Amino acid sequence: MTPEQRVEVAAAMLKYWEVRSKARDDQNSRGVNEPGERAGVTGGGHLDHVAHMLAQACIAAGAPPTEVYYKAPKDVVDSGAFTPGQISPGFTLPGFYRPTKMWDVVVRADGKPVVAIELKSQLGPSYGNNANNRAEEAIGTATDLTKAVERGLLPDKPWTGYVYIIEDDPASRERSRARPGQMFHPKDSVYESSSYQDRVRILCQRLVEEQMYDSTWAVTTSRPHCPQDTCPYLAKKFQNLSHDHAFGFRELDPEAGGYEAFIESFSAVIRKHYPPGHKRAFFRTHPDRSTPTLYDFE
């Protein structure tokens, strides 16, 4: 990761925590009390700054701003030409096992999607069931898109990327202990003594190895503040009343699944469709199928 990219990622990750914290505070102020960290999720928008960062990388690679579809953060002026209601059809792709799937970032060229990125996150203190759910979602989304392409619902399969953000805390770092006698068949040895962070890394590696996604980025981040009632440091097994929280982030597989490689992978696809220095005029039709608007991009 370049120094400039490190600054960009740090800013997006810090916003990720700030949005979650604000959503939880807003719900509490309205008397809506949801268990654990659920309020930070149901409030929405916690991954919008990550989507914005990736969208800006798509534009830097040569994609016209009006061909990059994503949900812009509320505190960022979106460079797109249309309102959020008009943008959402751009990042909604057809499925086969379900009607549609809303991807987090989609780049289009010549009327078809050429890049599609999925973002997922996971917080403590309970990781077990959520970790399995995330794996099932990732596999299901990839399978659904592939089948939609095979059945002619999309003209071609776009480049696909998967981003997984997991909280960095004692619970996600703790290595599992063997529990003999609980299974008729032994699990894959790669999971022996693995932490939840290891499981994220393994998932992302295998999603690429099995050609379910073209590239993945796995990152862990620590929160800048104490969530108190859900703080893993206060759990019985980690009890540490004098603990400190410090914001940071770390890539789980910087060599094979780092941010720099992830960006370069989709940038190469974008440059193929929008070569450097190539000037083109293109149309973008409003979702209501009204008269197309002509844009000039250089």
Side-chain angles (χ1 to χ4, degrees), residues 2-232:
T2 67
E4 293 79 9
Q5 289 174 337
R6 183 163 292 279
V7 171
E8 293 169 359
V9 173
M13 291 296 157
L14 187 57
K15 282 290 187 180
Y16 164 80
W17 289 116
E18 290 176 354
V19 172
R20 296 194 80 124
S21 178
K22 185 178 185 302
R24 186 177 181 182
D25 291 345
D26 288 347
Q27 291 213 12
N28 288 340
S29 67
R30 297 197 305 270
V32 180
N33 296 313
E34 298 197 67
E37 292 291 333
R38 181 169 170 76
V41 177
T42 57
H46 56 286
L47 288 171
D48 288 356
H49 283 86
V50 178
H52 178 70
M53 174 182 68
L54 295 172
Q56 294 308 301
C58 293
I59 294 170
T66 49
E67 291 297 311
V68 181
Y69 294 80
Y70 70 104
K71 182 171 171 272
K74 295 178 181 178
D75 59 348
V76 173
V77 178
D78 183 24
S79 58
F82 304 126
T83 66
Q86 295 170 321
I87 290 173
S88 61
F91 55 68
T92 303
L93 302 183
F96 177 75
Y97 297 103
R98 55 187 166 186
T100 59
K101 158 66 180 169
M102 296 178 70
W103 292 73
D104 291 286
V105 180
V106 170
V107 178
R108 305 182 72 87
D110 299 319
K112 62 184 181 181
V114 295
V115 168
I117 302 174
E118 173 82 341
L119 307 179
K120 289 295 181 183
S121 66
Q122 184 181 3
L123 294 188
S126 177
Y127 287 98
N129 289 336
N130 287 332
N132 287 335
N133 291 341
R134 288 291 176 264
E136 292 167 6
E137 291 166 358
I139 296 165
T141 294
T143 303
D144 189 40
L145 179 66
T146 298
K147 184 60 69 173
V149 174
E150 290 176 359
R151 294 303 178 97
L153 298 169
L154 284 170
D156 296 296
K157 186 176 180 180
W159 178 99
T160 54
Y162 181 76
V163 176
Y164 197 140
I165 302 169
I166 184 171
E167 180 173 6
D168 187 14
D169 65 21
S172 67
R173 292 192 297 266
E174 184 187 31
R175 297 196 173 279
S176 61
R177 292 186 292 272
R179 298 178 181 177
Q182 291 191 344
M183 296 175 59
F184 285 111
H185 307 285
K187 62 185 176 184
D188 191 328
S189 60
V190 73
Y191 295 111
E192 295 295 342
S193 301
S194 64
S195 67
Y196 285 109
Q197 292 188 18
D198 291 331
R199 287 172 59 174
V200 171
R201 173 180 52 79
I202 294 166
L203 169 66
C204 288
Q205 287 175 345
R206 291 185 168 183
L207 288 174
V208 175
E209 289 170 358
E210 298 303 314
Q211 300 181 342
M212 305 200 83
Y213 292 85
D214 293 287
S215 186
T216 59
W217 178 41
V219 59
T220 183
T221 177
S222 53
R223 65 178 74 218
H225 58 274
C226 181
Q228 297 181 357
D229 57 316
T230 60
C231 180

